């Protein structure tokens, strides 16, 4: 995922008058085509590096932001909120965080209709 994944959302929220930032994960600050051609810049990226990157961006802001993340970004959103870095957060289809079973029964049951 590069910041380009958020293009439509950025445009949507900017049209509503919000300032929108979509910082890249370390190594993901190139176009997706470049990463497809050579993924080595992101092979060793780990969660602590990603959280540090986002915290450094947030720490430069005048006030805590609303943080939005999808999948792993949803988990990062939760971590950043836990670290006191956001005013609010939205975790869309969040990947599980520490202590959450990878596939809780409720999640498994919710998938059955899709598999029909």
């Amino acid at each position: 995922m590069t910041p380009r994944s958020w293009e439509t959302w950025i445009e949507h929220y900017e049209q509503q008058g919000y300032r929108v930032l979509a910082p890249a994960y370390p190594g993901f600050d190139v176009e997706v085509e470049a990463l497809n051609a050579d993924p080595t810049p992101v092979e060793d990226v780990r969660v602590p590096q990603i959280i540090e990157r986002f915290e450094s961006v947030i720490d430069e802001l005048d006030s805590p932001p609303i943080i939005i993340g999808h999948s792993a970004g949803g988990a990062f959103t939760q971590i950043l909120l836990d670290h006191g870095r956001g005013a609010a957060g939205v975790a869309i289809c969040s990947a599980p965080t520490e202590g959450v079973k990878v596939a809780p029964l409720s999640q498994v049951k919710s998938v059955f209709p899709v598999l029909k």
Side-chain angles (χ1 to χ4, degrees), residues 2 4 27-28 30-43:
T2 69
R4 199 164 88 188
F28 284 75
V30 297
E31 290 298 326
V32 69
E33 293 82 6
L35 286 174
N36 286 337
D38 178 17
T40 55
V42 297
E43 288 176 352

Side-chain angles (χ1 to χ4, degrees), residues 2-116:
T2 69
R4 199 164 88 188
S5 303
W6 293 96
E7 289 181 327
T8 305
W9 291 104
I10 292 168
E11 182 180 325
H12 172 78
Y13 285 111
E14 286 179 340
Q15 288 175 354
Q16 304 302 314
Y18 292 97
R19 177 179 175 218
V20 180
L21 304 175
Y25 297 167
F28 284 75
D29 37 12
V30 297
E31 290 298 326
V32 69
E33 293 82 6
L35 286 174
N36 286 337
D38 178 17
T40 55
V42 297
E43 288 176 352
D44 295 324
V45 175
R46 299 291 181 260
V47 172
Q49 294 168 284
I50 294 168
I51 298 301
E52 287 173 14
R53 163 75 59 91
F54 289 164
E55 287 179 342
S56 70
V57 170
I58 292 169
D59 289 347
E60 295 294 318
L61 302 175
D62 293 333
S63 60
I66 298 169
I67 304 168
I68 301 174
H70 174 264
S71 188
F76 303 153
T77 295
Q78 294 177 64
I79 293 168
L80 290 164
L81 290 172
D82 186 59
H83 289 186
R85 291 307 205 289
V90 179
I92 305 166
C93 296
S94 181
T97 55
E98 185 177 347
V100 176
K101 294 178 182 176
V102 174
L105 181 58
S106 61
Q107 182 179 6
V108 173
K109 286 172 57 176
S110 71
V111 173
F112 284 138
V114 176
L115 298 176
K116 287 185 179 181

